[in-house]
Amino acid sequence: MSDAFVRVREFVRSSRSRAQQPTRAGPSLPGFALARRRFALALCLLAPALVSCASLPAAQPRPAQRAFDHPQSTSLGRIVAAAAPDAHSSGVRLLVSGEDALGSLVTLARRAERSLDLEYYIVRNDASTRTLLREVHAAAVRGVRVRMLVDDLNTAGSDESLLCFTRHPNVELRLFNPFPAGRFSTYTRILASLTDVDRINQRMHGKMFVADNAIAATGGRNLGDAYFVRSPKSNFVDLDVLVAGPAVRRLSAAFDRFWNDPLAYPAAQLIHETPRCEGPVSESPQPETNAQGETVEAPDSTPVPSSTLARALKEGRLKMRWDDVRVLADTPAKITGSSAPPPASASIADDVARLLGSARTELILITPYFVPGDHGVALIRALRQRNVRVRVLTNSLASTDAPVVHVGYARYRPQLIEMGVELYELRNQLGTPRSQLGRFGSSLASLHAKAVVVDRRTVLIGSMNLDPRSQRLNTEMGLVIPDTVVAGQVVRLFDDVSSNSSYRVVEDDEGRLRWIGGSPTVPDAEGSEPGASAGLRALMWLLTPFAPEEML
């Protein structure tokens, strides 16, 4: 939903920009009104054809596929087995910086020998993604089976490149919960699916990258420049986990459930065009190495950061924390395609609620979209009545990529502060120190990490936001890690960002909200949304009556 909102905003801006340009005949209407009317006319003309062909194609029989089941026969599997203290423990290591995250994924693609399984909500067509997918394609060329599952919400305009990626027989791409018609833009897709709104409003939101069923990365990051701190304009503060051992097999089982679900359509069954495939994606990459023997360059000379994982694998050992890691994963049954609630067994929402409610001394919540709802407020109130310290880091209006969700969050701010919740909102430009987060430079920042820390002993890291959409509409996944060292690392990240790059939101004696900058260079603000433009504040005011909480 947030991505669709951004697309609408970009369209409005681009329409305004185009409308302000002189035309040969001269505009007969005010520029923006002219562009808007043309767009509306085009949609009206297309509507009958789009709606008439909006039904999903008939499911075709296909054999069920399973993850590669002999990881110990691969180099990665043998390294994991040598590092693990026993057969039941899973290794974990945080991927905090975007550079380390991208470098780790590239490393997994280059070291894979038998299988690569990728599941993502968003796959951007930008430099970082192309660099990574070239490595994935190169793995297919050398005989690795590649399965890639992508939610279809954000693939508009990418049909040709998606088909080109599947040229090699070892690559199979499936689109989850697809839009069968109007595929050339987000707007025509939605228009073509107006008779199927319940289904298209439910999305696959999980993220994972699994190599040889031995090592995986999962967490909050999608694939794209902004998630790996490579965008010159705006980047995400995000968090993933590198995981090895039995937890990887449980992640792979979750992947298989979605891969074999009837809503996972082979791309060729939906895309009816002949792609013009050019460029180096089909070539086998020739990696370069530095003086230390580390791979540092992608085939198109786009620099790939050297990762901690690459160095560890080169030495033949993994530096991880080993624990009894639990995998939480929604099942495809959560996406029912109707307004009827899914079976309780299909959702991890109750597991997450139990984990939050188990706090005895402190609960830390890191979430980009925070709309607690009545149940969340009741849970937090019960914790505060037991004197549990509750601290929350979320986006400010200036930093969020989803202003409509901020509307839902703002409704709860006074109530949360009154209960004694310590509320922090990320500024749209980071302060210092920020070495853990990577090279943001002068780019804007937005929070995208999703993590929970309970009593500084147990951590939940995954794809789930603390809002109604993640709870009810999207399928989510996460890792529960019972480790005080990992918990301490997340707490330090929280303290760093909340102290140096966020506002503390409080109420004054007269009940007015105040944003405390926490630094002499960041002035305090009162009664407003600091850093947000007047236009954005006005938009939030306009959206408030039209933002039903169950859709946020």
Side-chain angles (χ1 to χ4, degrees):
M1 178 193 62
S2 61
D3 191 71
F5 181 88
V6 172
R7 289 176 183 270
V8 171
R9 184 174 59 188
E10 290 174 349
F11 170 77
V12 170
R13 289 175 176 172
S14 64
S15 297
R16 184 184 294 115
S17 175
R18 289 194 302 270
Q20 290 171 348
Q21 297 175 0
T23 62
R24 291 181 182 177
S28 58
L29 291 168
F32 179 63
L34 176 63
R36 183 175 58 191
R37 289 194 184 185
R38 286 175 175 172
F39 182 70
L41 177 61
L43 289 184
C44 290
L45 293 173
L46 286 169
L50 290 174
V51 174
S52 66
C53 58
S55 60
L56 285 170
Q60 297 179 355
R62 58 182 187 236
Q65 294 182 0
R66 296 288 179 262
F68 173 65
D69 59 358
H70 292 92
Q72 67 279 3
S73 67
T74 67
S75 298
L76 290 177
R78 288 190 290 271
I79 292 173
V80 171
D86 56 67
H88 305 289
S89 298
S90 298
V92 293
R93 185 173 65 78
L94 298 183
L95 296 174
V96 178
S97 76
E99 291 94 335
D100 195 26
L102 178 59
S104 295
L105 297 187
V106 168
T107 298
L108 290 177
R110 290 173 174 170
R111 296 295 295 259
E113 296 172 356
R114 298 298 300 273
S115 69
L116 285 171
D117 291 334
L118 288 68
E119 176 183 324
Y120 284 97
Y121 174 61
I122 294 175
V123 179
R124 296 286 186 219
N125 185 8
D126 56 22
S128 298
T129 304
R130 289 192 293 269
T131 294
L132 177 59
L133 293 188
R134 270 190 289 268
E135 298 291 348
V136 172
H137 193 272
V141 171
R142 64 176 187 265
V144 174
R145 182 190 70 172
V146 175
R147 298 186 296 171
M148 187 167 178
L149 183 62
V150 181
D151 186 272
D152 198 37
L153 178 63
N154 297 287
T155 62
S158 301
D159 282 0
E160 185 172 76
S161 58
L162 291 173
L163 283 184
C164 288
F165 181 66
T166 65
R167 284 177 299 182
H168 196 280
N170 285 337
V171 177
E172 187 174 359
L173 172 68
R174 294 182 182 178
L175 301 175
F176 196 84
N177 200 16
F179 294 78
R183 294 192 56 80
F184 52 88
S185 77
T186 299
Y187 317 105
T188 52
R189 287 175 170 210
I190 294 174
L191 181 64
S193 303
L194 289 179
T195 59
D196 205 7
V197 171
D198 286 333
R199 178 182 65 81
I200 67 168
N201 192 37
Q202 299 173 302
R203 310 309 315 176
M204 181 192 76
H205 195 240
K207 297 98 175 167
M208 70 170 90
F209 190 109
V210 186
D212 289 343
N213 208 4
I215 302 179
T218 186
R221 287 185 179 91
N222 296 295
L223 300 185
D225 285 345
Y227 301 96
F228 299 120
V229 195
R230 293 193 149 208
S231 169
K233 296 181 180 179
S234 181
N235 290 288
F236 288 114
V237 175
D238 220 327
L239 185 63
D240 281 343
V241 181
L242 200 66
V243 57
V248 178
R249 261 75 82 196
R250 293 190 283 273
L251 285 172
S252 291
F255 177 93
D256 286 344
R257 283 193 290 271
F258 281 84
W259 182 259
N260 293 311
D261 191 81
L263 279 178
Y265 279 77
Q269 192 178 353
L270 298 162
I271 304 171
H272 307 293
E273 61 180 79
T274 302
R276 296 166 295 174
C277 302
E278 299 176 358
V281 70
S282 62
E283 299 173 1
S284 180
Q286 301 298 319
E288 299 178 10
T289 57
N290 61 15
Q292 288 74 41
E294 300 168 347
T295 305
V296 295
E297 295 289 325
D300 65 346
S301 297
T302 301
V304 175
S306 178
S307 67
T308 306
L309 177 63
R311 293 189 290 272
L313 293 177
K314 185 175 182 294
E315 298 170 359
R317 59 191 181 90
L318 290 177
K319 299 176 182 178
M320 290 181 153
R321 299 290 301 177
W322 296 88
D323 297 286
D324 184 15
V325 176
R326 186 158 58 108
V327 174
L328 300 181
D330 288 335
T331 72
K334 185 179 178 182
I335 298 180
T336 62
S338 71
S339 58
S345 59
S347 175
I348 64 174
D350 289 344
D351 297 283
V352 174
R354 281 191 291 270
L355 177 64
L356 271 57
S358 70
R360 293 292 175 265
T361 58
E362 182 185 57
L363 177 66
I364 292 177
L365 307 176
I366 303 174
T367 178
Y369 316 122
F370 185 44
V371 185
D374 292 340
H375 292 295
V377 168
L379 187 152
I380 292 172
R381 180 178 288 110
L383 292 175
R384 293 296 301 135
Q385 289 172 346
R386 301 202 308 264
N387 293 321
V388 175
R389 184 185 186 189
V390 179
R391 298 198 284 166
V392 178
L393 173 64
T394 191
N395 274 308
S396 64
L397 179 59
S399 68
T400 187
D401 64 337
V404 69
V405 180
H406 194 84
V407 170
Y409 155 68
R411 296 169 180 165
Y412 290 96
R413 265 189 312 213
Q415 192 174 4
L416 292 168
I417 293 170
E418 184 180 353
M419 287 191 292
V421 174
E422 300 172 36
L423 201 55
Y424 296 89
E425 296 180 4
L426 186 78
R427 301 198 298 266
N428 64 357
Q429 288 193 308
L430 299 185
T432 55
R434 61 185 194 212
S435 58
Q436 293 183 81
L437 303 177
R439 302 181 183 90
F440 272 73
S442 60
S443 76
L444 298 178
S446 181
L447 182 67
H448 197 257
K450 307 103 165 43
V452 171
V453 185
V454 177
D455 296 338
R456 305 201 177 201
R457 300 178 60 86
T458 304
V459 183
L460 168 63
I461 297 174
S463 66
M464 185 175 183
N465 301 303
L466 298 178
D467 63 6
R469 171 159 289 273
S470 283
Q471 180 183 358
R472 303 170 191 166
L473 298 175
N474 292 345
T475 59
E476 309 287 356
M477 62 176 58
L479 299 179
V480 179
I481 307 166
D483 189 283
T484 57
V485 173
V486 177
Q489 293 169 348
V490 179
V491 171
R492 285 193 293 275
L493 177 64
F494 178 97
D495 289 340
D496 177 5
V497 176
S498 62
S499 299
N500 300 299
S501 302
S502 301
Y503 291 101
R504 170 80 185 272
V505 189
V506 299
E507 280 189 349
D508 63 18
D509 294 337
E510 298 180 5
R512 293 173 300 189
L513 292 182
R514 292 188 61 203
W515 283 260
I516 309 299
S519 166
T521 61
V522 181
D524 296 350
E526 182 177 295
S528 66
E529 304 277 354
S533 66
L536 191 55
R537 292 198 299 271
L539 177 63
M540 181 179 167
W541 179 80
L542 288 171
L543 289 173
T544 297
F546 308 105
E549 187 165 297
E550 64 272 12
M551 299 293 288
L552 299 180

